Amino acid sequence: MTLPRWTLVLALALIVVGLVAYLATGRQSVTALIPAFLGAPLLACALLARRDASRRWALGVASLLALLGLGGTASGVIKTARLVGGASVERPEAAVTPAVVAVACLAYVVLALRTFLRGRRRRASEAAA
């Protein structure tokens, strides 16, 4: 699967995670929608990346958004690890949701880096030939 499609998958997954978290918390907190708020611009990037003219910058922006998403939700991984370890965590859903976002964003960032490096190597070998 190509990086634009992975971007679309990540965007839709984050939107779904945000909506599920919002509904699971009884629609009490808009902050449960934060994954969806991250997924919406990623969806725009995925749609823009379908055109050759805007693919590189759209995927660059998507990678930056995923990196920011990872940084903003990394604390959820620690809280979820504590929860899994048997510790008591206030509002467990507020710990698990960011952890899910962090893992998804990390996977996307790694995939994007691999794709960008592969493309750079290919262009360098084509230029040398």
Side-chain angles (χ1 to χ4, degrees), residues 15-92:
I15 291 169
V16 168
V17 166
L19 292 174
V20 168
Y22 183 65
L23 295 174
T25 58
R27 296 186 232 168
Q28 293 179 351
S29 178
V30 176
T31 59
L33 287 169
I34 289 174
F37 296 150
L38 177 60
L42 282 169
L43 179 60
C45 289
L47 295 176
L48 287 169
R50 298 172 103 184
R51 296 186 317 189
D52 287 335
S54 58
R55 179 171 293 129
R56 286 179 75 180
W57 70 264
L59 294 176
V61 170
S63 299
L64 178 61
L65 287 171
L67 190 60
L68 291 172
L70 172 62
T73 58
S75 65
V77 175
I78 296 167
K79 291 178 185 176
T80 301
R82 287 183 189 151
L83 185 65
V84 169
S88 176
V89 176
E90 185 180 336
R91 297 181 305 137

Side-chain angles (χ1 to χ4, degrees), residues 1-3 6 106-116 118:
M1 196 161 26
T2 63
L3 191 57
W6 278 117
L106 175 63
Y108 181 82
V109 167
V110 169
L111 181 66
L113 283 173
R114 288 181 59 202
T115 301
F116 293 150
R118 195 177 312 134

